[in-house]
Each structure stands twice: as C-alpha cells, then as structure tokens.
C-alpha cells in the first residue's frame, strides 16, 4: 500500500499542482504513478494507483484528500436518513479505473493488485467526516442506530464487492481490502457489526478465483475473526510479531507483513536487522508475503527500500535453494 507516493521525487513532480482524486481519474497518470516505484525497485507485484475514497466520491459524496492529513467529507453521515440516502456504486461510475487497469496490464511484467477500502473504514470517514483517533461518532452510530448501520454496511459491502469484481474483469490479478482503521473495535463489536458484511464480501469474491487479501492496522486482537471473514491472505502491521500473528490466523491461511515502515527511515543496518527478524519469524513456511506493516512514509530514503527488496529476494532464494537441497539429501 502506498507503494507510490511522496518519497519519490518523480511522484512529487507528477502530482504537483494536482489534487490526488483528480489524478486518480486520469488513466494515463494512474499508469505512470503505478509504474514509477517499479522502475526503482524490483518488487514482485504492482499496486494500482488510486485511493480508497475513489468509489465513495463516485457514489455522490463530496470528498477531498488533504495532503498531510487524509480524506475530508464535507457533509458527513450523522443520521439514519443520511445513511439510507447513500446510493450504490455502479460499474459506469468507475469506468476510468477499469481503463487504467487495462492499460497497465499491457505494460506490466509483474501481477497487478487491485484494491478497495473496506465498509467499516469507508463508513468511518463518511461518519467522522475525516481522519479520527477514536472513531467515536462511528461507534456511537453503530450502537445507537444498528438498523441504519446495517444498511450502511450493506450499501458499502455491495458497492465494494461490485467494484472489486469489475477490477478483476478489467485485469487485476489479486484484490486487497483495506480495513485500515478496524483495529479500533473490540472483538464483540467486530463480530456483531462488521464480520457479517466481511464474510458476504469475501464469499462473493471467491468465484473470481484471484487471491483475496484482507488488511488492517492494530488488529492484533481481531486476527482470528479476520481469518473467519474468509480471505486467502491476512495482512498484519508490525505490532504483533509475525509468527504470533500467524498462529492467531492459522497456518492454513497466508500472511502479509510486517516490517514497521518507520524503521525504513533509519540507517540501512537497522533496517536489515529488523527485516531479517521478520524473515526469521516467517521461518521459511509457504504463504508469507514480505511487506511493510503499513504504507511507505514520505520521508523514506528510496535507497533503503531498494536494498530491502534486494535483501528479501536474496534471502528467500537462498532459503528455497536450501530447501531443495535438504529434500534431495533425505
Ligand atoms: O500504494 C500505492 O501506490 C497505491 C495507492 C494508494 C493510495 N492510497 C494513494 C495515496 C493506496 C493503496 C491507498 C489506500 C488508502 N488511502 C488507504 C488504505 C491503506 C492505508 O494506508 O491504510 C487509506 C486509509 C487511504 C486514505 C488516505 N489517502 C490517507 C490516509 C492519505 C494520506 C494523507 C497524507 O497526506 O498523509 C491519502 C493520500 C494518499 N493516497 C497518498 C497516496 C500516494 C499520499 C500522497 C499524496 O498526497 O499524493
């Protein structure tokens, strides 16, 4: 996530004088922003350049993204009737995203990951009206108006499901659902207010036959429930050591993570130590996708990321060779 971004001078140049949502609507710019990190680093997949607020903006919500803070919604959802008024996303609303995907598939030599925000994280921006530390208005809404909350989850769940299916038809080879802020909830509320929608969403995506990745931040206490939601891969941040997170998820499900992105601002030797610790905890089991535990931060030196990609490739190749060798010997 945020593979592209302000840590790259060429991105800052491309973005200059343009609003990010405006940029997301121009397929040629989306292609360029998606490809920029790949010209710098030998990563194994590309993530579509877009934003989780793109579909919401096309559902008639007035939203902008403030640099340095995040999405701002000018008329937040505050009553049940506001929630009932939100309309479903239809394919024609996001045709420009599909056009960018088709163009990208012609350019790319690695798989393309499509994505969407998850219903809770989108609902939180819609209700809070912007980034939030406590998500208090969102929590108050779900507890005091559970029927309107269920309706909001339904509208968002159907819209997200349709949006991701359209991305797969246009050519993405994996889908990732970002429930970035769901870690703010306790397991009871996750089970009651979120899990049913997430199950429906992942069940609906299963026939598309592409890997489904489910990511959240601060979700240590929710990992077993996220596994129950049904994705093929659960993405974790750095707060739980990888092997512990994997135990909570179950070793029959894949895991993505979990180097602390802030560490990438330190000198290379420190990055190396922390990256090797992640690999050691993955212990060469199949089904680990090495990644950062959250998005690349704007102050990150590009060179650290380049060396990180090289290090992970080198170690994994060595381990794989080692495993073949052991197999031959036995
Ligand atoms: O990785 C990629 O290259 C794909 C692009 C991508 C962006 N946003 C572009 C972007 C992806 C996958 C996202 C997802 C996204 N957007 C999430 C989920 C992932 C996560 O980080 O938890 C969320 C919560 C958002 C909402 C959002 N958009 C935030 C919180 C911000 C940061 C605001 C800031 O300036 O600090 C954005 C802006 C944004 N979206 C940037 C990028 C590259 C920042 C750079 C810019 O302003 O141009």
């Amino acid at each position: 996530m945020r593979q592209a971004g302000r840590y790259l001078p060429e991105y800052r140049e491309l973005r200059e004088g343009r609003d990010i949502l405006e940029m997301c609507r121009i397929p040629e710019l989306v292609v360029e922003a998606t490809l920029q990190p790949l010209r710098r680093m030998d990563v194994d997949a590309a993530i579509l350049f877009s934003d989780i607020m793109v579909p919401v903006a096309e559902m008639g919500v007035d939203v902008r993204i403030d640099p340095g803070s995040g999405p701002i919604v000018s008329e937040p959802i505050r009553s049940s009737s506001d929630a009932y008024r939100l309309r479903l996303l239809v394919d024609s609303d996001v045709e420009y995203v599909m056009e960018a995907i088709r163009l990208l598939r012609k350019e790319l030599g690695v798989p393309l990951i499509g994505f969407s925000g998850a219903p809770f994280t989108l609902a939180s921006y819609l209700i809070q009206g912007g980034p939030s530390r406590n998500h208090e208005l969102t929590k108050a809404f779900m507890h005091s108006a559970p029927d309107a909350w269920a309706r909001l989850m339904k509208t968002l769940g159907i819209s997200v499901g349709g949006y991701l299916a359209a991305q797969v038809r246009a050519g993405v080879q994996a889908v990732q659902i970002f429930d970035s802020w769901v870690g703010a909830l306790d397991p009871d509320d996750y089970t009651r207010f979120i899990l049913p929608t997430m199950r429906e969403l992942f069940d609906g995506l299963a026939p598309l036959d592409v890997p489904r990745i489910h990511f959240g931040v601060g979700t240590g206490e929710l990992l077993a429930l996220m596994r129950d939601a049904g994705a093929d891969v659960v993405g974790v941040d750095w707060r739980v050591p990888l092997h512990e997170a994997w135990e909570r998820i179950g070793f029959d499900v894949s895991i993505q993570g979990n180097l602390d992105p802030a560490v990438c601002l330190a000198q290379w030797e420190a990055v190396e130590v922390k990256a090797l610790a992640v690999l050691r905890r993955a212990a060469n089991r199949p089904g680990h996708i090495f990644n950062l535990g959250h998005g690349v931060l704007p102050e990150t030196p590009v060179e650290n990321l380049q060396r990180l990609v090289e290090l992970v490739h080198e170690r994994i190749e060595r381990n794989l060779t080692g495993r073949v060798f052991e197999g031959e010997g036995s």
Side-chain angles (χ1 to χ4, degrees):
M1 67 219 89
R2 298 200 219 135
Q3 191 176 75
R6 284 166 296 185
Y7 71 100
L8 286 174
E10 60 270 31
Y11 174 85
R12 293 196 295 268
E13 199 177 308
L14 188 68
R15 176 86 160 68
E16 187 155 333
R18 280 195 190 97
D19 173 74
I20 184 164
L21 289 180
E22 202 182 293
M23 194 168 139
C24 292
R25 292 194 177 98
I26 306 172
E28 290 70 24
L29 296 182
V30 170
V31 169
E32 176 57 22
T34 305
L35 294 177
Q36 282 177 344
L38 280 91
R39 294 193 192 109
R40 295 276 205 152
M41 292 172 282
D42 186 23
V43 285
D44 300 307
I47 183 153
L48 175 71
F49 182 81
S50 190
D51 193 85
I52 58 166
M53 299 312 280
V54 162
V56 173
E58 302 306 340
M59 287 161 78
V61 174
D62 182 28
V63 55
R64 64 173 201 279
I65 296 181
D66 267 9
S69 68
I72 306 290
V73 172
S74 65
E75 290 174 49
I77 292 179
R78 291 287 159 80
S79 68
S80 295
S81 54
D82 292 343
Y84 281 94
R85 263 201 304 276
L86 187 68
R87 73 161 178 85
L88 287 169
L89 184 77
V90 293
D91 286 356
S92 56
D93 293 329
V94 280
E95 181 44 37
Y96 60 84
V97 177
M98 309 312 146
E99 178 58 18
I101 291 169
R102 286 188 291 267
L103 292 172
L104 271 166
R105 281 299 308 278
K106 292 185 197 149
E107 303 281 331
L108 283 167
V110 292
L112 178 62
I113 305 171
F115 73 91
S116 175
F120 171 81
T121 291
L122 296 177
S124 175
Y125 282 120
L126 289 172
I127 294 171
Q128 300 289 148
S132 170
R133 181 187 292 263
N134 299 318
H135 303 271
E136 59 272 54
L137 298 174
T138 314
K139 292 181 188 184
F141 194 107
M142 60 174 70
H143 283 280
S144 47
D147 291 341
W149 173 261
R151 167 68 176 252
L152 184 58
M153 287 290 98
K154 189 122 212 138
T155 303
L156 290 168
I158 293 170
S159 298
V160 165
Y163 181 49
L164 289 172
Q167 291 184 36
V168 173
R169 287 195 302 275
V172 304
Q173 291 138 301
V175 291
Q176 175 150 210
I177 299 185
F178 289 109
D179 214 349
S180 300
W181 314 133
V182 80
L185 297 179
D186 70 43
D188 289 343
D189 287 351
Y190 186 89
T191 304
R192 179 175 168 205
F193 294 113
I194 313 299
L195 186 56
T197 305
M198 296 311 287
R199 274 208 181 111
E200 271 180 35
L201 188 48
F202 285 115
D203 279 355
L205 294 171
L208 300 173
D209 213 24
V210 296
R212 298 157 301 165
I213 310 168
H214 187 184
F215 172 81
V217 176
T219 54
E221 301 307 321
L222 301 178
L223 289 174
L225 293 169
M226 287 174 73
R227 184 262 327 280
D228 291 346
D232 305 292
V233 184
V234 176
V236 295
D237 78 5
W238 60 93
R239 290 176 177 85
V240 183
L242 190 93
H243 63 291
E244 277 183 48
W246 211 343
E247 239 166 63
R248 294 180 196 182
I249 293 160
F251 290 110
D252 54 336
V253 173
S254 294
I255 192 167
Q256 173 180 274
N258 70 345
L259 182 67
D260 184 344
V263 168
C264 298
L265 273 65
Q267 79 268 23
W268 165 249
E269 289 70 24
V271 183
E272 184 175 31
V273 167
K274 295 291 276 185
L276 291 177
V278 171
L279 288 176
R280 204 165 41 247
R281 288 176 168 136
N284 218 11
R285 292 185 199 90
H288 173 224
I289 301 171
F290 185 96
N291 207 330
L292 302 185
H294 204 181
V296 177
L297 296 164
E299 305 80 6
T300 310
V302 185
E303 200 199 333
N304 273 354
L305 298 178
Q306 291 167 328
R307 292 179 78 167
L308 178 61
V309 173
E310 278 169 30
L311 174 77
V312 172
H313 278 161
E314 179 199 299
R315 289 297 162 139
I316 285 173
E317 258 159 46
R318 193 187 294 173
N319 287 346
L320 286 177
T321 320
R323 198 188 293 154
V324 171
F325 183 74
E326 277 163 28
E328 280 172 349
S330 64

